[in-house]
Amino acid sequence: MGAYGDRADALERAFGPLDDPANPLGQDAILAADAAGRVPAGAEEVLDAHRFNAEFVPAELGGGLSRMDGLGRVLRPVFRRDASLGFGHGLNCFFAAAPVWIGGSAGQRAEVAGHLLQGRRVAVARHEVAHGNDFVREEFTARPAGGGFLLNGSKSVIANASRATGLVVFARTSTGGGGRSHSVLLLDRDGLPEGRLTDLARRPTNGMRSAEFGGLRAADCPVPGGALVGEAGGGYELSLRSSLLIRGLIPSIVLAGADTALRTVTRFAVRRRATGRSPLDVQHVRDVLTGAFLDLLLSDCLALVATRGLHLMPRQTSAYAAAAAYLAPKIVAESMDEMSAVLGEESLARDGAYAMFAKQLRDLPVTSLGHAGSAGRQVSLLPQLPFFARHVWFNDAEAPAELFRPHGDLPPLDPAGPALLGDSDPLAATLVATDGLLGSDGLPGEAPGERGALGALTRALVAELGELRTAFAGIGADDRAALVDPRSFALADRYALVLAAAACLGVWREQRSGGAAGAFLADPAWPTAALYRLCRRLGLPLPERPAACESRVLAEVLARLHGRRSYDLYGTGLA
């Protein structure tokens, strides 16, 4: 992780202090550009100077992508400032390139790598099923013609449509339904006949205002046969496989924006008024700050297992990628709502010291749902849970320790390696194993009396896993009606919360074993407070509220504000 940490730190320094009025890439400049719907002046030049788009190109093709947790980390300095910049300039290119990294030929991979390494953009026009949101109601069709295809149709909302040289198009190639109706085509826009592919008007958005969401219309546009990525009819599978890579990044970009929001609200809360008092004197305000930080830690634990799992256990990580992409935006959005109540009228400010909060609040729905809706992520979870219930839960080996080490080494990534459906659930097994450790002789270095609340909370979550096993064991593998029943969606939500708890416990256990992320993560205070928050959300029996643990978490919130460190597992120094 050292190289990724160095690159993230270099980006952070290059952008400079967000709260410095004299910084040309600081808060004031970002807010002014956002209001005008344009990219902050000089921001793209900083990214180009640091070869930001190379981060999305596999190392064997000349780029910097060697580990997915590192990619999530290097995105954060950009998304802490401006999601429009991070998404429009770079991350959307990864969304477009992922199907090519997975299913493309050597020539196609080299072509896309060339675009990105030379500072050009690649855009993706997805089909309706892959997105599951209201952005996509139109589609492209491609019919065979002259050894290639004729492309027709339109999409009105495509990120970077007019700025992209490379285009990855999901087009209908069969009139039938089912999973073989669409194929993926890789187009070089400069090589297409003039006038056959035209730009549509830019569509304004409430969030990520400076990102370009335009459209494209194709009219009998000839496409060579060599543009086909993978097999004809393989578009849906390529979309699903791409989502396994993409979903683990969603928590990182969501929590980066929420990091800035929490810092903004904490700065507001510590401000002393003329009376000598501050909002921080109010218990509810302290609870909101504590809860928001815990939600960011929960999200980062999910990000860690979803990204590192791609390397360490690719056959088991699909459920974790879906749970991370589903749950992190959900809990972050709720804590943002709580923080807005603390800010009061300042939560609507368009300028001034606290105006970044409103921007992050506007951007959040686009950053979290721009690739696929939350329901789609639950749908990909549900078919796996009956199998887990009947064959895996309480019978599985726990996850490898390396899964929970933010700075640990990883084996190489095979983009095509992750399985669409998991064959085991080692993360749930980590929860069960931790319950056993807390209930026996404890963990190495544990202080007397430390286990009480954490042990009770862990036992409650293990009991919840048992309830989920009972509920899902009665659903047949082919019982589609049961799987789309609203009760099943509610159970999938509960399962995601159980996974979040397991991820937290795994990270904490590894930090107690000598992790490199600092003393705070080795303290049982944060997992105790986090599990209490999760159990309360699940409506499970609760022990006495761990007030002392929550106080230690709040102290860390304040220490990171004054010490200028990020609100995630890394505690990175900020400019």
Side-chain angles (χ1 to χ4, degrees):
M1 181 63 90
Y4 272 105
D6 291 343
R7 299 204 295 271
D9 290 343
L11 268 177
E12 178 68 28
R13 292 192 300 270
F15 278 110
L18 186 60
D19 54 355
D20 180 1
N23 179 9
L25 291 174
Q27 171 179 302
D28 292 347
I30 289 172
L31 289 171
D34 185 69
R38 56 175 173 77
V39 176
E44 292 189 332
E45 288 77 6
V46 168
L47 294 181
D48 288 339
H50 288 263
R51 300 184 74 239
F52 188 61
N53 270 1
E55 299 291 354
F56 310 113
V57 179
E60 63 268 23
L61 293 172
L65 178 59
S66 60
R67 49 190 294 170
M68 292 300 294
D69 62 336
L71 178 56
R73 187 175 180 187
V74 84
L75 291 171
R76 297 181 193 192
V78 187
F79 278 87
R80 273 196 293 268
R81 290 165 169 80
D82 187 6
S84 300
L85 180 66
F87 182 78
H89 190 89
L91 185 59
N92 183 65
C93 293
F94 182 70
F95 289 0
V100 181
W101 301 153
I102 293 168
S105 66
Q108 290 170 333
R109 287 161 54 87
E111 179 182 342
V112 172
H115 288 319
L116 297 180
L117 294 175
Q118 293 172 40
R120 298 190 292 265
R121 286 174 175 75
V122 183
V124 57
R126 289 193 176 272
H127 61 303
E128 184 173 335
V129 176
H131 262 273
N133 61 32
D134 289 336
F135 271 2
V136 282
R137 293 299 177 193
E138 317 123 300
E139 67 176 3
F140 288 104
T141 62
R143 59 181 177 84
F149 303 91
L150 278 181
L151 187 69
N152 283 281
S154 65
K155 299 283 282 187
S156 60
V157 183
I158 302 171
N160 287 333
S162 69
R163 304 183 73 187
T165 303
L167 296 171
V168 176
V169 177
F170 286 74
R172 178 176 289 276
T173 50
S174 169
T175 57
R180 305 292 296 177
S181 59
H182 286 72
S183 302
V184 179
L185 303 175
L186 173 61
L187 312 182
D188 184 340
R189 191 165 186 182
D190 292 342
L192 298 177
E194 188 173 353
R196 299 296 183 91
L197 188 68
T198 57
D199 294 313
L200 302 179
R202 181 175 175 175
R203 296 281 293 270
T205 56
N206 183 54
M208 295 207 308
R209 292 172 174 174
S210 64
E212 182 216 276
F213 291 97
L216 292 170
R217 175 177 289 117
D220 286 336
C221 181
V223 175
L228 180 65
V229 179
E231 300 177 348
Y236 185 51
E237 182 175 346
L238 274 177
S239 176
L240 292 175
R241 291 193 176 279
S242 299
S243 72
L244 296 179
L245 299 183
I246 293 167
R247 284 172 172 170
L249 298 174
I250 299 297
S252 286
I253 64 177
V254 166
L255 71 85
D259 180 305
T260 296
L262 175 56
R263 182 164 289 99
T264 301
V265 177
T266 305
R267 194 166 60 244
F268 172 86
V270 299
R271 182 189 61 176
R272 291 285 172 188
R273 296 173 178 168
T275 61
R277 295 180 60 81
S278 73
L280 197 63
D281 294 325
V282 179
Q283 181 64 47
H284 175 69
V285 173
R286 297 196 294 271
D287 291 345
V288 169
L289 299 184
T290 301
F293 183 35
L294 290 170
D295 286 345
L296 293 189
L297 293 176
L298 285 166
S299 297
D300 211 3
C301 289
L302 285 168
L304 196 71
V305 300
T307 52
R308 291 179 68 83
L310 291 167
H311 298 257
L312 291 165
M313 43 186 204
R315 293 191 59 81
Q316 292 83 35
T317 200
S318 62
Y320 310 148
Y326 162 70
L327 187 58
K330 182 180 177 71
I331 62 175
V332 166
E334 292 177 8
S335 62
M336 291 281 282
D337 286 344
E338 294 175 351
M339 286 190 284
S340 67
V342 170
L343 276 181
E345 62 183 14
E346 292 285 4
S347 67
L348 304 175
R350 296 182 179 273
D351 52 39
Y354 309 113
M356 278 297 285
F357 182 87
K359 171 174 166 47
Q360 299 296 348
L361 190 62
R362 286 194 304 271
D363 289 347
L364 177 62
V366 188
T367 57
S368 59
L369 299 179
H371 172 63
S374 60
R377 295 158 191 168
Q378 284 181 298
V379 165
S380 65
L381 263 180
L382 280 168
Q384 306 187 60
L385 301 185
F387 175 83
F388 291 168
R390 287 192 295 272
H391 303 291
V392 172
W393 289 333
F394 298 95
N395 297 314
D396 211 359
E398 63 177 306
E402 292 81 7
L403 185 68
F404 306 107
R405 295 173 179 167
H407 300 278
D409 293 335
L410 287 171
L413 173 70
D414 176 7
L420 293 177
L421 297 176
D423 58 7
S424 64
D425 190 353
L427 187 54
T430 294
L431 173 68
V432 176
T434 305
D435 179 43
L437 289 170
L438 291 171
S440 58
D441 294 330
L443 294 162
E446 188 175 42
E450 241 176 34
R451 278 181 283 155
L454 186 57
L457 293 163
T458 304
R459 283 193 301 276
L461 287 158
V462 170
E464 174 66 19
L465 183 64
E467 294 291 331
L468 290 171
R469 178 174 63 173
T470 300
F472 279 110
I475 298 178
D478 298 324
D479 189 349
R480 296 186 178 183
L483 288 176
V484 298
D485 187 284
R487 290 170 295 183
S488 294
F489 279 79
L491 291 172
D493 182 89
R494 299 179 74 84
Y495 169 70
L497 293 167
V498 170
L499 285 185
C504 289
L505 289 169
V507 170
W508 170 67
R509 281 173 54 184
E510 285 311 302
Q511 292 307 309
R512 293 180 66 84
S513 301
F520 173 71
L521 291 184
D523 189 330
W526 76 270
T528 302
L531 264 62
Y532 186 89
R533 189 168 176 83
L534 290 169
C535 286
R536 185 175 59 194
R537 186 184 187 110
L538 285 163
L540 301 180
L542 295 172
E544 183 178 348
R545 182 173 178 174
C549 294
E550 292 173 350
S551 294
R552 294 209 291 277
V553 174
L554 178 61
E556 183 72 8
V557 173
L558 300 176
R560 293 196 186 195
L561 172 71
H562 299 305
R564 302 186 74 87
R565 291 185 291 126
S566 61
Y567 288 123
D568 57 12
L569 292 177
Y570 301 96
T572 303
L574 304 180

